[in-house]
Amino acid sequence: MANQLSGESQSGLEQTDQTFESAANLFRVMSAPLRLKIINCLCDGEKNVSYLLTRVNTTQPNMSQHLNTLYHAGVLGKRRDGVQIFYHIADQRVVSICQAVCHAIASKSVEKSGA
């Protein structure tokens, strides 16, 4: 605990205010359930906007806004092919974070329902 209070994590990497600010910004970007659904859809590869709209129940303008937010945060990358825009996960660490959190929540739900 002393290491954490002094700004040094258990891994030995120094945690600066900028590190915590960047982490908070990333968590803000991922705090929208719709964005988590988009990330989940893209975990198995690149998809175009039309496909994402069939998997995530929202309007095209709302989808575009969320994709743009994820893109500008560096979570997603994109490429254009004619009139189609394809999105992919640009930062695999985000996938790891999402999977870890969702797995922990799902496990907790199973524990509660079984108790």
Side-chain angles (χ1 to χ4, degrees):
M1 182 67 120
N3 281 350
Q4 290 174 336
L5 293 177
S6 69
E8 189 175 317
S9 72
Q10 292 175 350
S11 67
L13 297 175
E14 186 175 330
Q15 304 297 317
T16 65
D17 286 345
Q18 181 59 42
T19 301
F20 291 117
E21 188 64 35
S22 294
N25 287 333
L26 179 60
F27 287 129
R28 273 191 283 280
V29 167
M30 295 188 333
S31 69
L34 195 119
R35 292 184 197 140
L36 294 175
K37 289 179 187 178
I38 292 168
I39 291 167
N40 184 62
C41 286
L42 295 171
C43 282
D44 61 348
E46 183 181 69
K47 304 288 186 288
N48 67 17
V49 177
S50 298
Y51 176 84
L52 292 171
L53 285 168
T54 67
R55 303 293 304 216
V56 178
N57 186 25
T58 190
T59 63
Q60 192 278 328
N62 194 35
M63 174 67 75
S64 292
Q65 182 180 16
H66 285 289
L67 288 167
N68 195 41
T69 298
L70 290 165
Y71 173 75
H72 285 292
V75 173
L76 301 183
K78 65 181 177 180
R79 73 173 177 87
R80 181 178 291 276
D81 185 4
V83 297
Q84 299 271 348
I85 298 177
F86 291 83
Y87 287 89
H88 61 274
I89 303 293
D91 187 345
Q92 289 298 320
R93 296 173 301 175
V94 171
V95 173
S96 298
I97 292 167
C98 290
Q99 288 174 338
V101 171
C102 290
H103 178 75
I105 290 169
S107 296
K108 192 79 161 172
S109 296
V110 169
E111 287 175 15
K112 284 184 178 181
S113 66

